[in-house]
Amino acid sequence: MLHSETSDRSFLSEAEENRFCQIKLAHRRDQFFSGRLLARQLLCHQIGGAISDWSISAESGSKPIIVGHSNLHISLSHSNDYLACALADHPIGIDLECENEKRATNDLIAFICNDTEQGLFHGLSEQQRQSQLIALWTIKEAWLKRHESDFDFSKLRRLAWRICSQNEADLVTWRFDSEKFALSLVSDCATTADVHWPELCAPDKTEWRRFL
């Protein structure tokens, strides 16, 4: 759930506050603020301390870093009114995407999907294409967040994966068909991730993969 930008922002670092003020769209500001609050709530729950004890970097186009804690890694994602946050003691990537009927589906498929993946769209209805697209999108972007400091989206099409058993996986995708969004997590410990879903929200499908 997103929080209003009128909420108390005193816990934000100077860098985060500057980044917040540079965001022109109100909804985008709400997403940024809510993500930073969720990250701190997770840190307090898992590690301890108060929300104001934690500082997170805010450089545009780069992954967030927990200042002063090189042993901790965090990843954030938001789409529409949904938020996701992952915390680990090793590099980790999480991505969430919602379906969007206004999106140029064919252009995005050509941009992020390799030839094998593009074949997965043959014969699908528009609704099914949207669902398949956001699942693949989250897979690729979660990989970038796990492996890259500065995101190079030109690499998306070159990434390849295979379906595997849970024990082999370094990638898990949860598909929420009824809510029309997908969420992927890339982690060395993807199979043992401690996942907490919001009340009345549970995935319709869980898919395990391994990158090639």
Side-chain angles (χ1 to χ4, degrees), residues 21-201:
C21 293
Q22 290 170 1
I23 301 173
K24 296 181 179 180
L25 297 178
H27 188 70
R28 291 287 189 181
R29 289 194 296 270
D30 287 347
Q31 289 177 328
F32 178 83
F33 171 83
S34 299
R36 298 297 160 143
L37 177 60
L38 177 61
R40 285 171 167 84
Q41 290 172 335
L42 180 57
L43 284 162
C44 291
H45 182 265
Q46 295 294 331
I47 310 298
I51 285 178
S52 58
D53 294 335
W54 297 97
S55 180
I56 303 173
S57 67
E59 185 176 350
S60 180
S62 298
K63 65 171 66 177
I65 296 172
I66 304 168
V67 178
H69 295 271
S70 59
N71 60 318
L72 297 175
H73 301 264
I74 202 161
S75 185
L76 283 164
S77 186
H78 46 68
S79 184
N80 292 351
D81 290 339
Y82 293 102
L83 287 168
C85 182
L87 173 69
D89 60 2
H90 58 273
I92 195 168
I94 197 165
D95 193 60
L96 183 156
E97 297 292 343
C98 293
E99 293 182 22
N100 183 349
E101 295 179 355
K102 297 179 180 179
R103 186 176 286 143
T105 305
N106 290 336
D107 291 343
L108 272 174
I109 291 172
F111 179 67
I112 71 171
C113 297
N114 56 45
D115 292 343
T116 299
E117 291 166 336
Q118 290 185 34
L120 299 175
F121 291 87
H122 293 164
L124 298 184
S125 66
E126 182 55 33
Q127 173 63 45
Q128 292 170 327
R129 285 164 61 83
Q130 285 276 343
S131 178
Q132 184 73 281
L133 173 61
I134 62 170
L136 292 174
W137 187 346
T138 62
I139 288 169
K140 304 295 186 81
E141 191 160 336
W143 185 93
L144 281 183
K145 292 179 177 181
R146 160 62 178 83
H147 292 279
E148 302 281 316
S149 296
D150 299 307
F151 305 138
D152 180 0
F153 289 97
S154 67
K155 294 182 178 180
L156 295 179
R157 198 175 187 277
R158 301 199 297 270
L159 297 176
W161 49 266
R162 62 177 175 84
I163 297 290
C164 68
S165 67
Q166 180 175 346
N167 291 337
E168 297 178 278
D170 58 6
L171 158 67
V172 56
T173 300
W174 297 280
R175 296 173 73 154
F176 297 79
D177 295 333
S178 53
E179 286 85 7
K180 297 185 177 181
F181 74 90
L183 177 69
S184 287
L185 173 70
V186 176
S187 165
D188 295 340
C189 301
T191 60
T192 58
D194 183 15
V195 183
H196 297 271
W197 303 117
E199 187 176 356
L200 303 179
C201 184

